Amino acid sequence: MTKLKVPNYTSLARALVDLFGASVAITQTDRLRGGDINKAYALTLSTGDKIFMKANAKNNADFFTAEADGLSAIAETNTIATPKIICTGTDDGEDVGYSFLLLSYIESGEKNKNFWETFAKDLASLHKADTSKLLSEKNSFFGFFQDNFIGARAQKNTSAASWIDFFRDNRLAPQFHDADSYFTPADRQKITKLLDNLDRFLVEPEKPSLLHGDLWAGNVMCSKESKPVLIDPACYIGHREADLAMTQLFGGFPQEFYDAYNQAYPLQPGYEERRDLYNLYQLLNHLTLFGPTYLEPVLSIIEEYV
């Protein structure tokens, strides 16, 4: 896979005209709740179309091109639904200008009795999908064809032949570096020991998997047809255990989800012993973004493994 060729525009008005016709107009704009990073809107058009728009500062346009690439990577597997990508762009309006991403609008619905089982099976299919076209270098198995973002922070995706090397060099080490001011000299000694002995705790996967990368409940929608839809990815090729671990970090999904996933694609033995180490990456990211509330769980996990 090469970088996604999504239409990119220098104004929202031009994008709408090109994509929906010269007579198009926005007849209603509804601000939507949710999300700490971007503003979100439902735009109703004079054509009868309803589309979803994310907006951010103009200099944050890379957020949206990276998101579009992640959504495209998932969509190309034909395993689980994602919003359709319409375009990306920037606009000089609103004084300082803004960047935007237009997607198909997903009407929310109620979860039926099969929702979690369906989601588990679809996710297992995503994790089984071929990943050979998603890497930037030959003879590598983990990473992505470009860097992207985890929340508001950059996420490094340099390719590697080893999952353990990738997770140490692209996930834990950069996060520890950025959060260094929170740690004492004794903490730093434990961190060094953890990174130097990561192969004692993690295992290589049976095969590389395309990961959503930020798989918590807020990034899984239920469509009006009661089908799971993935949004806001932070994609890369890695060990599927990292996705499963993230689902359990903030409350977890119903047990029927995990039972159905394990039936569709059984996890390697010892996953529970590795889970907290995967979530250390997410907690370190939250520590840097949101402050010392997350320091105690970070230190607890370091202590657990060292």
Side-chain angles (χ1 to χ4, degrees):
M1 178 177 176
T2 56
K3 188 170 177 60
L4 180 64
K5 294 181 179 179
V6 172
N8 185 270
Y9 292 90
T10 54
S11 86
L12 178 60
R14 171 51 57 190
L16 294 178
V17 167
D18 277 3
L19 296 167
F20 295 96
S23 61
V24 71
I26 299 173
T27 59
Q28 185 172 329
T29 301
D30 296 307
R31 178 73 184 270
L32 303 177
R33 297 176 59 187
D36 299 318
I37 302 169
N38 306 298
K39 296 178 181 178
Y41 305 91
L43 305 181
T44 303
L45 307 181
S46 55
T47 57
D49 295 286
K50 191 173 185 179
I51 59 176
F52 177 75
M53 184 177 85
K54 283 186 173 183
N56 205 310
K58 191 173 182 180
N59 60 359
N60 286 333
D62 286 350
F63 282 175
F64 297 141
T65 55
E67 180 174 343
D69 286 337
L71 289 170
S72 177
I74 295 172
E76 286 185 11
T77 67
N78 294 309
T79 57
I80 191 167
T82 58
K84 180 182 177 182
I85 306 157
I86 299 174
C87 72
T88 60
T90 57
D91 196 295
D92 291 329
E94 295 189 359
D95 298 327
V96 296
Y98 58 94
S99 57
F100 61 87
L101 170 65
L102 299 185
L103 301 170
S104 61
Y105 185 83
I106 306 297
E107 294 279 357
S108 296
E110 296 293 326
K111 296 180 180 68
N112 63 21
K113 64 179 183 179
N114 298 319
F115 176 84
W116 290 107
E117 181 180 355
T118 300
F119 176 36
K121 291 179 178 178
D122 288 352
L123 183 65
S125 295
L126 172 65
H127 288 163
K128 292 178 183 179
D130 177 42
T131 61
S132 59
K133 297 180 180 180
L134 296 171
L135 295 170
S136 59
E137 298 177 15
K138 293 182 179 179
N139 303 318
S140 294
F141 304 101
F142 305 98
F144 206 50
F145 65 93
Q146 64 180 11
D147 294 341
N148 48 28
F149 299 88
I150 180 69
R153 302 186 68 243
Q155 177 168 262
K156 182 181 174 185
N157 290 319
T158 303
S159 297
S162 160
W163 163 244
I164 296 171
D165 289 346
F166 176 86
F167 193 71
R168 181 187 60 245
D169 298 338
N170 290 269
R171 293 295 176 264
L172 292 183
Q175 291 285 3
F176 278 128
H177 176 273
D178 291 350
D180 183 70
S181 62
Y182 287 103
F183 302 121
T184 66
D187 293 334
R188 295 187 187 102
Q189 287 183 343
K190 293 177 182 179
I191 290 166
T192 298
K193 186 175 181 181
L194 175 64
L195 295 177
D196 287 348
N197 292 278
L198 209 56
D199 58 349
R200 291 177 52 197
F201 310 113
L202 297 183
V203 296
E204 298 292 329
E206 314 99 312
K207 68 175 294 296
S209 294
L210 176 60
L211 307 186
H212 176 278
D214 193 11
L215 194 57
W216 68 290
N219 287 340
V220 183
M221 291 187 65
C222 177
S223 72
K224 65 179 180 180
E225 296 83 16
S226 199
K227 300 296 184 183
V229 182
L230 291 182
I231 62 172
D232 296 348
C235 285
Y236 63 98
I237 309 306
H239 198 314
R240 60 197 176 102
E241 290 180 346
D243 259 358
L244 271 292
M246 180 64 176
T247 69
Q248 296 180 286
L249 180 58
F250 299 117
F253 295 165
Q255 186 59 42
E256 60 194 283
F257 165 82
Y258 301 102
D259 292 342
Y261 182 94
N262 212 41
Q263 183 175 14
Y265 195 4
L267 290 166
Q268 291 171 263
Y271 157 71
E272 291 81 4
E273 297 169 8
R274 299 183 287 271
R275 178 180 56 208
D276 290 349
L277 193 50
Y278 291 127
N279 283 335
L280 179 58
Y281 170 64
Q282 303 290 351
L283 289 168
L284 282 165
N285 190 53
H286 278 65
L287 175 62
T288 303
L289 283 171
F290 305 118
T293 301
Y294 292 93
L295 181 57
E296 183 177 348
V298 163
L299 294 177
S300 177
I301 292 175
I302 295 169
E303 192 70 30
E304 177 184 347
Y305 289 94
V306 176

